[in-house]
mmCIF file of all heavy atoms in Angstrom:
data_model
loop_
_atom_site.group_PDB
_atom_site.id
_atom_site.type_symbol
_atom_site.label_atom_id
_atom_site.label_comp_id
_atom_site.label_asym_id
_atom_site.label_seq_id
_atom_site.Cartn_x
_atom_site.Cartn_y
_atom_site.Cartn_z
ATOM 1 N N MET A 1 -22.600 -34.548 -15.280
ATOM 2 C CA MET A 1 -22.571 -35.995 -15.394
ATOM 3 C C MET A 1 -23.319 -36.557 -16.521
ATOM 4 O O MET A 1 -23.128 -37.632 -16.944
ATOM 5 C CB MET A 1 -22.913 -36.634 -14.071
ATOM 6 C CG MET A 1 -21.919 -36.442 -12.942
ATOM 7 S SD MET A 1 -22.410 -37.301 -11.406
ATOM 8 C CE MET A 1 -23.767 -36.242 -10.797
ATOM 9 N N ASN A 2 -24.254 -35.661 -17.096
ATOM 10 C CA ASN A 2 -25.065 -36.135 -18.203
ATOM 11 C C ASN A 2 -24.590 -35.531 -19.518
ATOM 12 O O ASN A 2 -25.349 -35.426 -20.493
ATOM 13 C CB ASN A 2 -26.581 -35.860 -18.011
ATOM 14 C CG ASN A 2 -27.200 -36.809 -17.076
ATOM 15 O OD1 ASN A 2 -27.661 -37.919 -17.503
ATOM 16 N ND2 ASN A 2 -27.226 -36.491 -15.763
ATOM 17 N N GLY A 3 -23.381 -35.054 -19.539
ATOM 18 C CA GLY A 3 -22.792 -34.563 -20.745
ATOM 19 C C GLY A 3 -22.875 -33.110 -21.081
ATOM 20 O O GLY A 3 -22.364 -32.725 -22.196
ATOM 21 N N ALA A 4 -23.433 -32.313 -20.259
ATOM 22 C CA ALA A 4 -23.511 -30.819 -20.569
ATOM 23 C C ALA A 4 -22.160 -30.237 -20.457
ATOM 24 O O ALA A 4 -21.327 -30.564 -19.607
ATOM 25 C CB ALA A 4 -24.492 -30.161 -19.573
ATOM 26 N N SER A 5 -21.895 -29.258 -21.354
ATOM 27 C CA SER A 5 -20.629 -28.578 -21.333
ATOM 28 C C SER A 5 -20.675 -27.498 -20.194
ATOM 29 O O SER A 5 -21.744 -27.147 -19.732
ATOM 30 C CB SER A 5 -20.368 -27.885 -22.651
ATOM 31 O OG SER A 5 -21.349 -26.851 -22.904
ATOM 32 N N LEU A 6 -19.489 -26.958 -19.960
ATOM 33 C CA LEU A 6 -19.426 -25.935 -18.868
ATOM 34 C C LEU A 6 -20.204 -24.685 -19.335
ATOM 35 O O LEU A 6 -20.846 -24.012 -18.496
ATOM 36 C CB LEU A 6 -17.981 -25.572 -18.552
ATOM 37 C CG LEU A 6 -17.185 -26.667 -17.850
ATOM 38 C CD1 LEU A 6 -15.747 -26.109 -17.531
ATOM 39 C CD2 LEU A 6 -17.821 -27.212 -16.613
ATOM 40 N N ALA A 7 -20.167 -24.395 -20.618
ATOM 41 C CA ALA A 7 -20.902 -23.231 -21.140
ATOM 42 C C ALA A 7 -22.391 -23.421 -20.968
ATOM 43 O O ALA A 7 -23.115 -22.452 -20.657
ATOM 44 C CB ALA A 7 -20.525 -23.003 -22.617
ATOM 45 N N GLU A 8 -22.843 -24.633 -21.203
ATOM 46 C CA GLU A 8 -24.312 -24.966 -21.058
ATOM 47 C C GLU A 8 -24.694 -24.858 -19.649
ATOM 48 O O GLU A 8 -25.799 -24.378 -19.287
ATOM 49 C CB GLU A 8 -24.564 -26.360 -21.707
ATOM 50 C CG GLU A 8 -24.396 -26.372 -23.195
ATOM 51 C CD GLU A 8 -24.466 -27.752 -23.719
ATOM 52 O OE1 GLU A 8 -24.034 -28.728 -22.978
ATOM 53 O OE2 GLU A 8 -24.868 -27.971 -24.943
ATOM 54 N N ILE A 9 -23.814 -25.387 -18.688
ATOM 55 C CA ILE A 9 -24.184 -25.307 -17.299
ATOM 56 C C ILE A 9 -24.259 -23.823 -16.872
ATOM 57 O O ILE A 9 -25.149 -23.435 -16.042
ATOM 58 C CB ILE A 9 -23.122 -26.066 -16.422
ATOM 59 C CG1 ILE A 9 -23.146 -27.568 -16.826
ATOM 60 C CG2 ILE A 9 -23.344 -25.944 -14.962
ATOM 61 C CD1 ILE A 9 -22.030 -28.349 -16.165
ATOM 62 N N ALA A 10 -23.253 -23.064 -17.303
ATOM 63 C CA ALA A 10 -23.304 -21.604 -16.901
ATOM 64 C C ALA A 10 -24.558 -20.976 -17.405
ATOM 65 O O ALA A 10 -25.134 -20.126 -16.708
ATOM 66 C CB ALA A 10 -22.042 -20.943 -17.511
ATOM 67 N N GLU A 11 -25.047 -21.273 -18.605
ATOM 68 C CA GLU A 11 -26.188 -20.659 -19.172
ATOM 69 C C GLU A 11 -27.421 -21.021 -18.335
ATOM 70 O O GLU A 11 -28.313 -20.244 -18.022
ATOM 71 C CB GLU A 11 -26.418 -21.105 -20.580
ATOM 72 C CG GLU A 11 -27.583 -20.417 -21.241
ATOM 73 C CD GLU A 11 -27.702 -20.715 -22.731
ATOM 74 O OE1 GLU A 11 -26.799 -21.384 -23.257
ATOM 75 O OE2 GLU A 11 -28.698 -20.268 -23.353
ATOM 76 N N VAL A 12 -27.548 -22.364 -17.872
ATOM 77 C CA VAL A 12 -28.687 -22.796 -17.093
ATOM 78 C C VAL A 12 -28.688 -22.137 -15.774
ATOM 79 O O VAL A 12 -29.673 -21.619 -15.242
ATOM 80 C CB VAL A 12 -28.595 -24.330 -16.918
ATOM 81 C CG1 VAL A 12 -29.684 -24.751 -15.900
ATOM 82 C CG2 VAL A 12 -28.789 -25.021 -18.216
ATOM 83 N N LEU A 13 -27.522 -21.975 -15.114
ATOM 84 C CA LEU A 13 -27.405 -21.405 -13.792
ATOM 85 C C LEU A 13 -27.469 -19.914 -13.779
ATOM 86 O O LEU A 13 -27.630 -19.300 -12.757
ATOM 87 C CB LEU A 13 -26.149 -21.898 -13.021
ATOM 88 C CG LEU A 13 -25.996 -23.361 -12.794
ATOM 89 C CD1 LEU A 13 -24.768 -23.648 -11.980
ATOM 90 C CD2 LEU A 13 -27.227 -23.900 -12.090
ATOM 91 N N GLY A 14 -27.206 -19.321 -14.952
ATOM 92 C CA GLY A 14 -27.253 -17.866 -15.030
ATOM 93 C C GLY A 14 -25.928 -17.185 -14.693
ATOM 94 O O GLY A 14 -25.943 -16.034 -14.197
ATOM 95 N N HIS A 15 -24.821 -17.877 -14.948
ATOM 96 C CA HIS A 15 -23.510 -17.214 -14.696
ATOM 97 C C HIS A 15 -22.999 -16.553 -15.898
ATOM 98 O O HIS A 15 -23.108 -17.105 -17.065
ATOM 99 C CB HIS A 15 -22.531 -18.360 -14.238
ATOM 100 C CG HIS A 15 -22.764 -18.927 -12.890
ATOM 101 N ND1 HIS A 15 -22.898 -18.081 -11.714
ATOM 102 C CD2 HIS A 15 -22.939 -20.196 -12.444
ATOM 103 C CE1 HIS A 15 -23.105 -18.839 -10.711
ATOM 104 N NE2 HIS A 15 -23.148 -20.128 -11.110
ATOM 105 N N LYS A 16 -22.326 -15.384 -15.788
ATOM 106 C CA LYS A 16 -21.899 -14.730 -16.918
ATOM 107 C C LYS A 16 -20.535 -15.274 -17.462
ATOM 108 O O LYS A 16 -20.256 -15.212 -18.626
ATOM 109 C CB LYS A 16 -21.581 -13.213 -16.502
ATOM 110 C CG LYS A 16 -22.829 -12.406 -16.297
ATOM 111 C CD LYS A 16 -22.483 -10.905 -16.069
ATOM 112 C CE LYS A 16 -23.711 -10.070 -15.929
ATOM 113 N NZ LYS A 16 -23.417 -8.664 -15.672
ATOM 114 N N THR A 17 -19.759 -15.948 -16.581
ATOM 115 C CA THR A 17 -18.488 -16.492 -16.967
ATOM 116 C C THR A 17 -18.435 -18.000 -16.668
ATOM 117 O O THR A 17 -19.273 -18.443 -15.837
ATOM 118 C CB THR A 17 -17.276 -15.762 -16.288
ATOM 119 O OG1 THR A 17 -17.351 -15.972 -14.940
ATOM 120 C CG2 THR A 17 -17.422 -14.251 -16.563
ATOM 121 N N LEU A 18 -17.427 -18.673 -17.100
ATOM 122 C CA LEU A 18 -17.276 -20.005 -16.848
ATOM 123 C C LEU A 18 -16.570 -20.318 -15.529
ATOM 124 O O LEU A 18 -16.547 -21.440 -15.000
ATOM 125 C CB LEU A 18 -16.449 -20.742 -17.946
ATOM 126 C CG LEU A 18 -17.069 -20.746 -19.398
ATOM 127 C CD1 LEU A 18 -16.221 -21.484 -20.357
ATOM 128 C CD2 LEU A 18 -18.480 -21.380 -19.339
ATOM 129 N N SER A 19 -15.905 -19.244 -15.003
ATOM 130 C CA SER A 19 -15.167 -19.480 -13.696
ATOM 131 C C SER A 19 -15.944 -20.137 -12.646
ATOM 132 O O SER A 19 -15.450 -20.898 -11.845
ATOM 133 C CB SER A 19 -14.565 -18.126 -13.331
ATOM 134 O OG SER A 19 -15.602 -17.190 -12.981
ATOM 135 N N MET A 20 -17.208 -19.708 -12.518
ATOM 136 C CA MET A 20 -18.084 -20.223 -11.425
ATOM 137 C C MET A 20 -18.457 -21.688 -11.574
ATOM 138 O O MET A 20 -18.807 -22.291 -10.594
ATOM 139 C CB MET A 20 -19.324 -19.354 -11.285
ATOM 140 C CG MET A 20 -19.108 -17.935 -10.743
ATOM 141 S SD MET A 20 -18.471 -17.970 -9.055
ATOM 142 C CE MET A 20 -19.882 -18.500 -8.177
ATOM 143 N N VAL A 21 -18.380 -22.229 -12.741
ATOM 144 C CA VAL A 21 -18.799 -23.558 -13.013
ATOM 145 C C VAL A 21 -17.638 -24.590 -13.185
ATOM 146 O O VAL A 21 -17.840 -25.745 -13.465
ATOM 147 C CB VAL A 21 -19.797 -23.648 -14.239
ATOM 148 C CG1 VAL A 21 -21.130 -22.909 -13.920
ATOM 149 C CG2 VAL A 21 -19.210 -23.136 -15.481
ATOM 150 N N LYS A 22 -16.376 -24.016 -13.148
ATOM 151 C CA LYS A 22 -15.277 -24.921 -13.323
ATOM 152 C C LYS A 22 -15.184 -25.954 -12.232
ATOM 153 O O LYS A 22 -14.554 -26.978 -12.344
ATOM 154 C CB LYS A 22 -13.976 -24.099 -13.408
ATOM 155 C CG LYS A 22 -13.871 -23.372 -14.744
ATOM 156 C CD LYS A 22 -12.461 -22.685 -14.824
ATOM 157 C CE LYS A 22 -12.273 -21.964 -16.177
ATOM 158 N NZ LYS A 22 -11.056 -21.258 -16.286
ATOM 159 N N ARG A 23 -15.811 -25.658 -11.088
ATOM 160 C CA ARG A 23 -15.780 -26.664 -9.922
ATOM 161 C C ARG A 23 -16.473 -27.978 -10.342
ATOM 162 O O ARG A 23 -16.327 -28.966 -9.677
ATOM 163 C CB ARG A 23 -16.477 -26.013 -8.739
ATOM 164 C CG ARG A 23 -17.973 -25.886 -8.898
ATOM 165 C CD ARG A 23 -18.612 -25.172 -7.677
ATOM 166 N NE ARG A 23 -18.364 -23.817 -7.597
ATOM 167 C CZ ARG A 23 -18.923 -22.990 -6.730
ATOM 168 N NH1 ARG A 23 -19.703 -23.472 -5.772
ATOM 169 N NH2 ARG A 23 -18.709 -21.672 -6.770
ATOM 170 N N TYR A 24 -17.268 -27.929 -11.402
ATOM 171 C CA TYR A 24 -18.021 -29.167 -11.819
ATOM 172 C C TYR A 24 -17.278 -29.872 -12.950
ATOM 173 O O TYR A 24 -17.780 -30.899 -13.461
ATOM 174 C CB TYR A 24 -19.418 -28.831 -12.266
ATOM 175 C CG TYR A 24 -20.131 -27.991 -11.220
ATOM 176 C CD1 TYR A 24 -20.431 -26.638 -11.488
ATOM 177 C CD2 TYR A 24 -20.630 -28.542 -10.040
ATOM 178 C CE1 TYR A 24 -21.149 -25.888 -10.572
ATOM 179 C CE2 TYR A 24 -21.306 -27.743 -9.087
ATOM 180 C CZ TYR A 24 -21.553 -26.434 -9.371
ATOM 181 O OH TYR A 24 -22.246 -25.656 -8.445
ATOM 182 N N ALA A 25 -16.119 -29.309 -13.382
ATOM 183 C CA ALA A 25 -15.446 -29.853 -14.594
ATOM 184 C C ALA A 25 -15.093 -31.337 -14.396
ATOM 185 O O ALA A 25 -15.210 -32.084 -15.393
ATOM 186 C CB ALA A 25 -14.211 -29.008 -14.841
ATOM 187 N N HIS A 26 -14.614 -31.696 -13.202
ATOM 188 C CA HIS A 26 -14.209 -33.113 -12.994
ATOM 189 C C HIS A 26 -15.370 -34.117 -13.202
ATOM 190 O O HIS A 26 -15.088 -35.243 -13.458
ATOM 191 C CB HIS A 26 -13.584 -33.279 -11.621
ATOM 192 C CG HIS A 26 -14.558 -33.121 -10.524
ATOM 193 N ND1 HIS A 26 -15.161 -31.849 -10.153
ATOM 194 C CD2 HIS A 26 -15.186 -33.986 -9.631
ATOM 195 C CE1 HIS A 26 -16.005 -32.035 -9.164
ATOM 196 N NE2 HIS A 26 -16.043 -33.304 -8.871
ATOM 197 N N LEU A 27 -16.585 -33.602 -13.023
ATOM 198 C CA LEU A 27 -17.787 -34.486 -13.149
ATOM 199 C C LEU A 27 -18.035 -34.769 -14.630
ATOM 200 O O LEU A 27 -18.829 -35.749 -14.931
ATOM 201 C CB LEU A 27 -18.970 -33.896 -12.428
ATOM 202 C CG LEU A 27 -18.868 -33.634 -10.964
ATOM 203 C CD1 LEU A 27 -20.076 -32.918 -10.417
ATOM 204 C CD2 LEU A 27 -18.674 -34.976 -10.230
ATOM 205 N N SER A 28 -17.483 -33.918 -15.548
ATOM 206 C CA SER A 28 -17.853 -34.146 -16.971
ATOM 207 C C SER A 28 -16.599 -34.705 -17.653
ATOM 208 O O SER A 28 -16.528 -34.629 -18.913
ATOM 209 C CB SER A 28 -18.314 -32.870 -17.655
ATOM 210 O OG SER A 28 -17.281 -31.850 -17.468
ATOM 211 N N ASP A 29 -15.574 -35.241 -16.933
ATOM 212 C CA ASP A 29 -14.397 -35.783 -17.606
ATOM 213 C C ASP A 29 -14.710 -36.827 -18.625
ATOM 214 O O ASP A 29 -14.120 -36.923 -19.691
ATOM 215 C CB ASP A 29 -13.494 -36.319 -16.506
ATOM 216 C CG ASP A 29 -12.783 -35.259 -15.755
ATOM 217 O OD1 ASP A 29 -12.848 -34.055 -16.198
ATOM 218 O OD2 ASP A 29 -12.186 -35.521 -14.665
ATOM 219 N N GLY A 30 -15.714 -37.656 -18.284
ATOM 220 C CA GLY A 30 -16.058 -38.753 -19.268
ATOM 221 C C GLY A 30 -16.622 -38.172 -20.572
ATOM 222 O O GLY A 30 -16.271 -38.634 -21.612
ATOM 223 N N HIS A 31 -17.427 -37.095 -20.420
ATOM 224 C CA HIS A 31 -17.944 -36.468 -21.675
ATOM 225 C C HIS A 31 -16.811 -35.849 -22.454
ATOM 226 O O HIS A 31 -16.804 -35.961 -23.677
ATOM 227 C CB HIS A 31 -18.958 -35.363 -21.171
ATOM 228 C CG HIS A 31 -19.398 -34.478 -22.315
ATOM 229 N ND1 HIS A 31 -20.146 -34.914 -23.343
ATOM 230 C CD2 HIS A 31 -19.275 -33.175 -22.517
ATOM 231 C CE1 HIS A 31 -20.444 -33.995 -24.137
ATOM 232 N NE2 HIS A 31 -19.934 -32.861 -23.664
ATOM 233 N N VAL A 32 -15.871 -35.158 -21.770
ATOM 234 C CA VAL A 32 -14.780 -34.589 -22.452
ATOM 235 C C VAL A 32 -13.933 -35.637 -23.236
ATOM 236 O O VAL A 32 -13.525 -35.478 -24.357
ATOM 237 C CB VAL A 32 -13.872 -33.847 -21.525
ATOM 238 C CG1 VAL A 32 -12.626 -33.318 -22.220
ATOM 239 C CG2 VAL A 32 -14.638 -32.604 -20.968
ATOM 240 N N SER A 33 -13.756 -36.787 -22.543
ATOM 241 C CA SER A 33 -13.000 -37.825 -23.170
ATOM 242 C C SER A 33 -13.670 -38.372 -24.407
ATOM 243 O O SER A 33 -13.030 -38.696 -25.415
ATOM 244 C CB SER A 33 -12.793 -39.023 -22.128
ATOM 245 O OG SER A 33 -12.061 -38.552 -21.022
ATOM 246 N N ASN A 34 -14.991 -38.455 -24.356
ATOM 247 C CA ASN A 34 -15.780 -38.966 -25.527
ATOM 248 C C ASN A 34 -15.645 -38.021 -26.695
ATOM 249 O O ASN A 34 -15.586 -38.365 -27.799
ATOM 250 C CB ASN A 34 -17.267 -39.174 -25.082
ATOM 251 C CG ASN A 34 -17.441 -40.338 -24.149
ATOM 252 O OD1 ASN A 34 -16.620 -41.215 -24.154
ATOM 253 N ND2 ASN A 34 -18.499 -40.317 -23.418
ATOM 254 N N VAL A 35 -15.663 -36.718 -26.321
ATOM 255 C CA VAL A 35 -15.554 -35.693 -27.389
ATOM 256 C C VAL A 35 -14.161 -35.810 -28.078
ATOM 257 O O VAL A 35 -14.085 -35.761 -29.310
ATOM 258 C CB VAL A 35 -15.725 -34.243 -26.833
ATOM 259 C CG1 VAL A 35 -15.382 -33.205 -27.856
ATOM 260 C CG2 VAL A 35 -17.185 -34.064 -26.273
ATOM 261 N N VAL A 36 -13.141 -35.936 -27.256
ATOM 262 C CA VAL A 36 -11.790 -36.049 -27.846
ATOM 263 C C VAL A 36 -11.650 -37.334 -28.655
ATOM 264 O O VAL A 36 -11.088 -37.317 -29.756
ATOM 265 C CB VAL A 36 -10.732 -36.099 -26.617
ATOM 266 C CG1 VAL A 36 -9.365 -36.345 -27.270
ATOM 267 C CG2 VAL A 36 -10.770 -34.716 -25.995
ATOM 268 N N ALA A 37 -12.232 -38.451 -28.172
ATOM 269 C CA ALA A 37 -12.148 -39.686 -28.857
ATOM 270 C C ALA A 37 -12.890 -39.613 -30.190
ATOM 271 O O ALA A 37 -12.396 -40.099 -31.207
ATOM 272 C CB ALA A 37 -12.780 -40.836 -27.995
ATOM 273 N N SER A 38 -14.047 -38.918 -30.157
ATOM 274 C CA SER A 38 -14.825 -38.791 -31.447
ATOM 275 C C SER A 38 -14.098 -37.952 -32.401
ATOM 276 O O SER A 38 -14.107 -38.254 -33.629
ATOM 277 C CB SER A 38 -16.213 -38.126 -31.054
ATOM 278 O OG SER A 38 -16.908 -37.846 -32.215
ATOM 279 N N MET A 39 -13.405 -36.854 -32.021
ATOM 280 C CA MET A 39 -12.671 -36.036 -32.873
ATOM 281 C C MET A 39 -11.538 -36.775 -33.536
ATOM 282 O O MET A 39 -11.264 -36.713 -34.730
ATOM 283 C CB MET A 39 -12.114 -34.795 -32.083
ATOM 284 C CG MET A 39 -11.274 -33.806 -32.903
ATOM 285 S SD MET A 39 -9.478 -34.213 -32.877
ATOM 286 C CE MET A 39 -9.114 -33.897 -31.216
ATOM 287 N N ASN A 40 -10.823 -37.595 -32.682
ATOM 288 C CA ASN A 40 -9.709 -38.398 -33.213
ATOM 289 C C ASN A 40 -10.135 -39.440 -34.257
ATOM 290 O O ASN A 40 -9.460 -39.617 -35.230
ATOM 291 C CB ASN A 40 -8.958 -39.043 -32.072
ATOM 292 C CG ASN A 40 -7.935 -38.116 -31.417
ATOM 293 O OD1 ASN A 40 -6.758 -38.096 -31.789
ATOM 294 N ND2 ASN A 40 -8.352 -37.349 -30.413
ATOM 295 N N ALA A 41 -11.326 -40.027 -33.929
ATOM 296 C CA ALA A 41 -11.815 -41.062 -34.854
ATOM 297 C C ALA A 41 -12.162 -40.464 -36.227
ATOM 298 O O ALA A 41 -11.870 -41.025 -37.251
ATOM 299 C CB ALA A 41 -13.013 -41.750 -34.209
ATOM 300 N N LYS A 42 -12.745 -39.199 -36.201
ATOM 301 C CA LYS A 42 -13.161 -38.596 -37.503
ATOM 302 C C LYS A 42 -11.890 -38.141 -38.232
ATOM 303 O O LYS A 42 -11.905 -38.147 -39.449
ATOM 304 C CB LYS A 42 -14.093 -37.431 -37.172
ATOM 305 C CG LYS A 42 -15.393 -37.852 -36.721
ATOM 306 C CD LYS A 42 -16.276 -36.645 -36.398
ATOM 307 C CE LYS A 42 -17.652 -37.037 -35.919
ATOM 308 N NZ LYS A 42 -18.559 -35.786 -35.641
ATOM 309 N N ILE A 43 -10.888 -37.655 -37.526
ATOM 310 C CA ILE A 43 -9.718 -37.130 -38.293
ATOM 311 C C ILE A 43 -8.769 -38.273 -38.717
ATOM 312 O O ILE A 43 -8.350 -38.277 -39.918
ATOM 313 C CB ILE A 43 -8.905 -36.228 -37.343
ATOM 314 C CG1 ILE A 43 -9.737 -34.958 -36.981
ATOM 315 C CG2 ILE A 43 -7.550 -35.844 -37.898
ATOM 316 C CD1 ILE A 43 -9.077 -34.002 -36.062
ATOM 317 N N PHE A 44 -8.528 -39.173 -37.823
ATOM 318 C CA PHE A 44 -7.514 -40.173 -38.194
ATOM 319 C C PHE A 44 -8.121 -41.530 -38.634
ATOM 320 O O PHE A 44 -7.402 -42.399 -39.197
ATOM 321 C CB PHE A 44 -6.606 -40.425 -36.923
ATOM 322 C CG PHE A 44 -5.910 -39.234 -36.551
ATOM 323 C CD1 PHE A 44 -6.216 -38.632 -35.346
ATOM 324 C CD2 PHE A 44 -4.963 -38.532 -37.291
ATOM 325 C CE1 PHE A 44 -5.600 -37.493 -34.884
ATOM 326 C CE2 PHE A 44 -4.347 -37.392 -36.847
ATOM 327 C CZ PHE A 44 -4.627 -36.843 -35.638
ATOM 328 N N GLY A 45 -9.428 -41.727 -38.326
ATOM 329 C CA GLY A 45 -10.108 -43.016 -38.719
ATOM 330 C C GLY A 45 -9.392 -44.108 -38.185
ATOM 331 O O GLY A 45 -9.086 -44.223 -36.970
#
């Protein structure tokens, strides 16, 4: 909820793969949307 990626969450929790942390993906939807919006703004202005 504070913007960490699934890879970062996996590293903190000590998981080798992302499969175990996908259950938290819905909590970071806002972060993902911001990333996509930022990318679009930079590419298309």
Side-chain angles (χ1 to χ4, degrees):
M1 289 185 287
N2 281 277
S5 67
L6 294 185
E8 290 168 334
I9 296 173
E11 185 174 356
V12 171
L13 298 185
H15 291 306
K16 288 184 177 180
T17 65
L18 298 182
S19 60
M20 290 295 291
V21 296
K22 284 184 178 179
R23 69 182 77 175
Y24 309 108
H26 67 287
L27 298 173
S28 60
D29 285 345
H31 172 62
V32 173
S33 298
N34 291 336
V35 171
V36 173
S38 176
M39 178 271 291
N40 276 271
K42 289 180 180 179
I43 293 178
F44 303 112

